[in-house]
Amino acid sequence: WGVAMTSFQPLWHPASDEDLARGKRAIEQALEIGAAAERERGYIDAVKAFFTDPDPALESRADDHEARVKAWKSAQRELHKAHPDDVDAAAFYALAEVCYAMTQFSPAREHDYERERLAGALLEKLLEDHPEHPGLFHYLIHAYDSTELAHKAETIAREYDQLAPDSVHALHMPSHIFVRLGYWEETAEWNERSAGAARRIMHVDRQASAHNVHALDYMMYGYLQLDDEESAGKTLDRVRNVEEIWPAHFAGYNAAAAQARYYLEQHKWEEAASMPLRLPEAFPWDDFPKALAIFHYARGLGAARIGDVYRADAEYEAIMEAVEALREAGERYWAYMAEALGQAVKAWTLYERGETEDAVALLRKAAELEDSMDKHPTTPGEVYPVWEVLGDLLVQLGRTDEAVEAYEASLRRTPNRRNAVRGIERAKGSE
């Protein structure tokens, strides 16, 4: 059962063929060994639901993943109903609801946070009787990881390290709430602690190297919002010089995003346009198109902003190649998000070519696409949000009221973002 439960990460991404096979083998062994207690059989049956192939088979990996998570959620709910006093059964059911909500991210679906609220309410009730259960802390933060709900988890976030003072992930998780509330000092501080804890155990736990760069990306985000260029620069060096990154799905994104943020957030357009690709060299970049899309977005937007439209065109094409690769891999969420970045680059090249109204229309479309899906837990926030790209262009065009609206849209998604706040000041100051 334990091997099967660690063979899928439903909050992050669809399970690979290798992990699906591993989980199925583990379930077969669990069933062969058997369990004397009905409760234990229920736990095995619950995870078995995820590894049971949908019938009929679904060609899309994203649809297959959604069906598996839905089946797992239903099985965990039944286990919880059968054993209402079992805190772990309840916790796993709450997690399953949050994971299923993640599969619903799509431009065609309105996200109302109903499942996250349900999970959060259950976890809060459990905490009354189990105030030191680390899973409840962890899953509650994931349940409330949204701008709408983050305020409900602030106390839990600030207490998590008291349960696990040297746990890499426990030190990182509170920043999921801090970034939603715009608390940049806490975001930087807690991830400094998380990265330090990761470095201390990397020699015995290679996976900690992935959590190291995960924390570094959040640190970079926090330092840039604090306008602390010196600390951001040191973080950039740390990202580029890591000697090992465990090839987790989130790690490549964070390594690329931390570098892109450094230039884009500070409007260093020329440096962004020539930003080195595929650093650090210790990572298999070809296997992670969503990470490559981030490199090309920074280079493309940088090139477009300095008027080098032909170089920007090439970066746009590279982004769209990543979009196709993501679609083929069934990573629907990241395909949409990368598509929004590609549209933003293309839109600014249209502006540079004199097609101003087409540029504004395409940027608005890209911003709405990016905004139609909530922030993924992989990232502290989008790499230079498209709403802000639109705001920048509208300021240049003297359309200040529209610019303010675009920046305010960015702030609704991520409160207290430095660029959006300054963009509003700049727009109003130019009136």
Side-chain angles (χ1 to χ4, degrees):
W1 172 84
V3 171
M5 284 291 285
T6 57
S7 295
F8 68 118
Q9 292 80 43
L11 194 68
W12 301 97
H13 54 78
S16 66
D17 292 340
E18 180 182 2
D19 283 340
L20 285 174
R22 179 174 179 260
K24 290 176 182 179
R25 286 195 303 270
I27 289 299
E28 290 172 0
Q29 289 177 299
L31 292 170
E32 182 179 344
I33 294 168
E38 181 271 336
R39 171 178 171 273
E40 293 175 353
R41 291 194 295 273
Y43 270 83
I44 294 171
D45 287 341
V47 71
K48 176 186 173 184
F50 181 89
F51 290 102
T52 300
D53 295 337
D55 186 17
L58 300 169
E59 291 186 10
S60 163
R61 187 174 289 274
D63 291 337
D64 175 86
H65 177 66
E66 180 180 343
R68 291 178 187 277
V69 174
K70 185 176 183 180
W72 174 57
K73 172 182 66 71
S74 297
Q76 288 289 172
R77 182 179 61 231
E78 293 305 310
L79 180 63
H80 168 53
K81 287 170 62 177
H83 302 277
D85 296 328
D86 184 336
V87 62
D88 295 317
F92 285 134
Y93 166 53
L95 174 63
E97 286 284 2
V98 175
C99 292
Y100 184 65
M102 287 290 299
T103 70
Q104 304 304 294
F105 283 2
S106 165
R109 293 170 174 163
E110 186 69 26
H111 197 174
D112 59 9
Y113 302 101
E114 178 183 356
R115 296 187 183 280
E116 291 91 337
R117 292 178 192 275
L118 184 156
L122 174 58
L123 292 164
E124 285 180 346
K125 187 174 186 303
L126 291 167
L127 274 165
E128 294 175 7
D129 295 324
H130 305 275
E132 295 185 349
H133 190 296
L136 302 183
F137 277 67
H138 192 164
Y139 302 156
L140 188 66
I141 289 173
H142 277 306
Y144 291 155
D145 185 2
S146 62
T147 305
E148 288 78 358
L149 302 176
H151 65 280
K152 296 167 70 66
E154 182 177 352
T155 299
I156 287 295
R158 295 187 184 280
E159 294 177 350
Y160 199 0
D161 64 333
Q162 297 174 34
L163 292 182
D166 205 35
S167 168
V168 175
H169 203 54
L171 291 172
H172 160 75
M173 278 302 300
S175 57
H176 282 245
I177 300 303
F178 299 146
V179 296
R180 295 292 198 171
L181 298 173
Y183 295 170
W184 308 127
E185 292 88 351
E186 291 90 336
T187 299
E189 176 193 345
W190 283 65
N191 282 285
E192 281 279 15
R193 295 168 65 194
S194 177
R199 289 194 302 275
R200 287 193 292 275
I201 64 170
M202 281 166 54
H203 66 288
V204 294
D205 181 1
R206 293 183 61 205
Q207 295 188 38
S209 62
H211 289 279
N212 176 46
V213 293
H214 190 54
L216 291 175
D217 186 25
Y218 276 72
M219 279 168 53
M220 176 68 82
Y221 196 85
Y223 285 135
L224 289 170
Q225 302 315 310
L226 292 168
D227 210 11
D228 186 347
E229 184 173 355
E230 180 180 359
S231 295
K234 290 178 180 178
T235 304
L236 179 67
D237 290 339
R238 288 167 64 177
V239 172
R240 286 183 169 167
N241 292 307
V242 296
E243 296 181 355
E244 180 181 14
I245 307 179
W246 181 263
H249 276 258
F250 60 84
Y253 177 94
N254 293 128
Q259 297 174 71
R261 295 183 204 285
Y262 179 78
Y263 299 112
L264 297 182
E265 289 274 1
Q266 298 181 90
H267 296 183
K268 296 184 176 185
W269 306 121
E270 291 189 12
E271 293 177 63
S274 57
M275 189 179 91
L277 285 169
R278 301 167 182 261
L279 290 179
E281 296 178 354
F283 195 77
W285 293 105
D286 287 334
D287 297 334
F288 297 88
K290 63 174 171 280
L292 291 175
I294 298 300
F295 282 115
H296 293 298
Y297 173 57
R299 289 161 60 97
L301 187 60
R305 293 294 296 260
I306 62 174
D308 191 342
V309 293
Y310 295 108
R311 187 157 34 145
D313 288 342
E315 301 297 342
Y316 165 75
E317 293 298 332
I319 295 171
M320 298 314 293
E321 287 178 12
V323 170
E324 287 304 312
L326 289 165
R327 287 175 179 156
E328 291 176 7
E331 294 197 57
R332 186 162 51 198
Y333 174 92
W334 291 112
Y336 283 127
M337 296 302 267
E339 182 181 353
L341 302 184
Q343 290 176 354
V345 172
K346 184 176 180 64
W348 204 281
T349 64
L350 289 174
Y351 165 67
E352 291 292 338
R353 290 183 164 106
E355 301 175 47
T356 300
E357 291 309 313
D358 288 343
V360 171
L362 183 56
L363 265 179
R364 194 174 300 279
K365 177 183 175 183
E368 290 171 350
L369 175 59
E370 186 176 72
D371 203 29
S372 68
M373 295 172 291
D374 199 5
K375 179 188 83 64
H376 196 279
T378 291
T379 173
E382 277 64 58
V383 178
Y384 208 79
V386 181
W387 278 123
E388 294 178 22
V389 181
L390 174 60
D392 294 347
L393 180 56
L394 290 168
V395 169
Q396 284 195 203
L397 296 174
R399 293 158 62 168
T400 55
D401 289 344
E402 292 177 74
V404 169
E405 290 176 0
Y407 291 127
E408 288 177 342
S410 180
L411 288 171
R412 283 194 295 273
R413 186 175 177 91
T414 308
N416 202 25
R417 265 190 56 81
R418 182 190 64 165
N419 273 311
V421 171
R422 289 183 176 176
I424 290 172
E425 294 172 351
R426 189 168 64 250
K428 291 183 175 180
S430 64
E431 292 178 344

